[in-house]
Amino acid sequence: MASATRPAALLSERLDSTRILLFGGILLIVLGMVLGEIYAIFVSHIASVEIRERLFTVVSAVGTGDTTTIHAQFDVIEQLLEKRGRIVNTHSHSIAFGFLALVLTVLQPMLGLAEQRKRLFAWLIIAGAFLQSLCVFVSPYVGLWGNWASDVGAALVLVGVLGTLIGLFARWRSPGSLNSVVAPLLQSRSSRILLVGGGLLILLGMLMGVYYAWVFVTQHEPQQWTLLDVALAQALAGEEEGARSTIASYRHIQSKIAIQTAAHSHAIEFGMLAILLGIVQNFVLLDDRWKLRWIWAFLAGSFLLPVFVFTASIVGLVSAGFADLSGFVALVALCAMAVGIIRYTGARDYSGKRSRG
Amino acid sequence: MLTRAQQWLIVGGLLVVLLGLVYGIVYNLRVEHQTLPRLREQHRGIFLAAAQKESVQVQEALAVAQMANYQYVRAIDVHTHLIKMASVSILLGLIFSLVKWDEKLRIALAVLFVSTAVVFPLGVFAQIFSTSVLLQTVAAGAALLAIGSLGFIIWGLARGLRKEEPNSPTNPG
């Protein structure tokens, strides 16, 4: 069990369940964030413009009764939507699994299981997470078995989580406390800033969610179908300009839905990440001044990203660009802290070897 | 080993994660593979019917697509919120020792938060089968209670952190 000065209970010198979940979780989150950046910068905006242009062609074809063109345009639109959906699916699952792994990392000392069993469950969670995310991504290229394999990945994660729960119950009445492991990790200034900042981010995200749920149900969800109906009526009446303008409004509503949902979820995810980073600050082997700089950079990027994402639905691409930049700043800060953790584990391994002579 | 409040948050959160994973697997196996191709066909069908000047079919296709989309959005919503709220619940459980309220309030906040992590997605799930305003109210009410309990938890966390003395052990040796 950890003493107040050495967080030794959480990170040992071997590849135990804690390290497997810690590094696997960080890798899942970083890969998910990189995919998110690539999607936001190179895929989302471009695909959105192309879909809108092709819908313009579709409404013209509706007016002239050209079903061949409609089929051809929808073949492309469906491919673009499928690609976007698949990338977002992989991005969000990778990060969600990463969070789960990091949260379970802290619980490892509490599990009443042999280390071998804990390692097995940890590997199941990480392997299942990678399998699920990867198979979702490649499923269009490999056929239906890709979907089945992604389900197998999710099932592996499920078994790992179930094992964790069993491990908790196995040690339910034993002496020792989670707080004696975690509390010493939360004493530094950088931890405190991250804990409160993270909590506020999650709260902000949830407030955005409630607000947007009301807007979605009462306005955006019914509006998009009304606009589609109007656009079709205009196309059939030969009002091509009017139909294109209405389709543009229809696509604008759909963009708003995607953007404001993203703002809500990203605020919460960055908040969770901030709290997790607050727990591991003692393992970030960097100068205190640089630790504080990186956490402020992370929090700044984390608060600004959902704000800019939200305003992108009003202001447009400039705001979206700043959202991408904010995400990049948060990602760089996260990588810097990951480097600090790698330095810590390296230093521990080295000092452990030296003490064994 | 875990305080009562932590038991609710951590064990409750793990159980909700399991529920979210099971839901996701079952949904993906039974529904998702068929749903997305069907949604795409329905959208295409709306425009084809319009091009063929079949106005009755256009209205029918719009209504069918609208309902299918309504159900799909909510089905995904359930899975996402089960997992996310459960993850937040477990995370709060890990740092709950720093939340400085009296023990009864701490337990109440923990129970409330983890309960809303189930009730809110259940309310959304029920909306797949009914557009009743009551169900929307249940889901909205649960969401507001989740926000309220989280607000109090963060307030307690800020109070707890103000009372502690910070130190910064960075030497791993």
Side-chain angles (χ1 to χ4, degrees), chain B residues 3 7 10 46 55 69 88-89 96-97 102 107 125 147 152 159 162 173:
Chain B
T3 63
Q7 285 169 16
I10 293 175
I46 292 167
S55 52
N69 203 66
V88 172
S89 175
F96 215 68
S97 60
D102 71 70
I107 294 171
F125 181 73
I147 290 172
F152 267 95
R159 290 178 79 217
R162 263 205 305 275

Side-chain angles (χ1 to χ4, degrees), chain A residues 58-89:
Chain A
V58 166
V59 291
S60 298
V62 164
T64 57
D66 181 358
T67 56
T68 306
T69 299
I70 291 173
H71 275 296
Q73 295 303 313
F74 261 96
D75 284 345
V76 176
I77 289 171
E78 285 167 13
Q79 275 175 15
L80 289 167
L81 288 173
E82 186 279 326
K83 181 174 157 186
R84 285 177 55 173
R86 184 162 45 88
I87 295 175
V88 170
N89 195 322

Side-chain angles (χ1 to χ4, degrees), chain A residues 39 42-53 80-81 83-84 251:
Chain A
Y39 169 76
F42 297 110
V43 178
S44 174
H45 311 311
I46 297 167
S48 195
V49 169
E50 188 169 352
I51 290 170
R52 190 187 63 205
E53 293 300 316
L80 289 167
L81 288 173
K83 181 174 157 186
R84 285 177 55 173
R251 286 296 302 159

Side-chain angles (χ1 to χ4, degrees), chain A residues 75 151 179 192 199 269 344, chain B residues 6 28 44 84 154 161 172:
Chain A
D75 284 345
D151 292 335
N179 298 326
R192 290 152 193 280
E269 281 152 10
Y344 175 90
Chain B
Q6 283 177 318
N28 200 38
R44 186 190 291 240
K84 286 284 162 66
I154 294 167
L161 291 173

Side-chain angles (χ1 to χ4, degrees), chain A residues 62-281:
Chain A
V62 164
T64 57
D66 181 358
T67 56
T68 306
T69 299
I70 291 173
H71 275 296
Q73 295 303 313
F74 261 96
D75 284 345
V76 176
I77 289 171
E78 285 167 13
Q79 275 175 15
L80 289 167
L81 288 173
E82 186 279 326
K83 181 174 157 186
R84 285 177 55 173
R86 184 162 45 88
I87 295 175
V88 170
N89 195 322
T90 306
H91 162 71
S92 54
H93 276 94
S94 178
I95 291 177
F97 283 131
F99 281 137
L100 187 60
L102 292 183
V103 159
L104 296 179
T105 301
V106 187
L107 287 178
Q108 294 304 297
M110 297 295 109
L111 304 187
L113 299 169
E115 183 54 42
Q116 225 175 354
R117 197 61 59 87
K118 289 202 290 186
R119 255 205 310 272
L120 170 65
F121 289 133
W123 277 122
L124 284 176
I125 290 168
I126 297 301
F130 274 104
L131 182 65
Q132 199 273 350
S133 306
L134 181 68
C135 288
V136 163
F137 192 77
V138 303
S139 54
Y141 310 111
V142 300
L144 204 55
W145 80 259
N147 283 319
W148 303 127
S150 76
D151 292 335
V152 168
L156 292 179
V157 174
L158 194 150
V159 171
V161 172
L162 194 56
T164 303
L165 199 52
I166 292 169
L168 263 183
F169 282 122
R171 217 176 143 185
W172 196 251
R173 299 198 188 285
S174 298
S177 146
L178 173 69
N179 298 326
S180 68
V181 174
V182 175
L185 304 177
L186 305 177
Q187 300 303 309
S188 66
R189 188 162 166 230
S190 50
S191 287
R192 290 152 193 280
I193 294 169
L194 283 164
L195 290 181
V196 175
L200 289 172
L201 266 167
I202 295 174
L203 193 61
L204 172 68
M206 288 173 78
L207 285 166
M208 285 169 110
V210 158
Y211 162 74
Y212 186 63
W214 172 76
V215 169
F216 177 75
V217 168
T218 58
Q219 296 171 37
H220 289 174
E221 192 174 32
Q223 264 173 10
Q224 55 181 338
W225 297 101
T226 304
L227 286 168
L228 201 52
D229 196 9
V230 167
L232 291 170
Q234 287 171 322
L236 287 171
E239 298 166 22
E240 190 167 323
E241 278 309 307
R244 287 162 72 101
S245 169
T246 308
I247 282 291
S249 301
Y250 165 74
R251 286 296 302 159
H252 186 61
I253 293 271
Q254 292 197 318
S255 289
K256 272 190 179 179
I257 292 170
I259 285 167
Q260 296 190 9
T261 306
H264 157 61
S265 63
H266 282 78
I268 292 174
E269 281 152 10
F270 276 110
M272 289 172 63
L273 196 48
I275 292 177
L276 284 166
L277 289 171
I279 294 174
V280 300
Q281 285 301 291

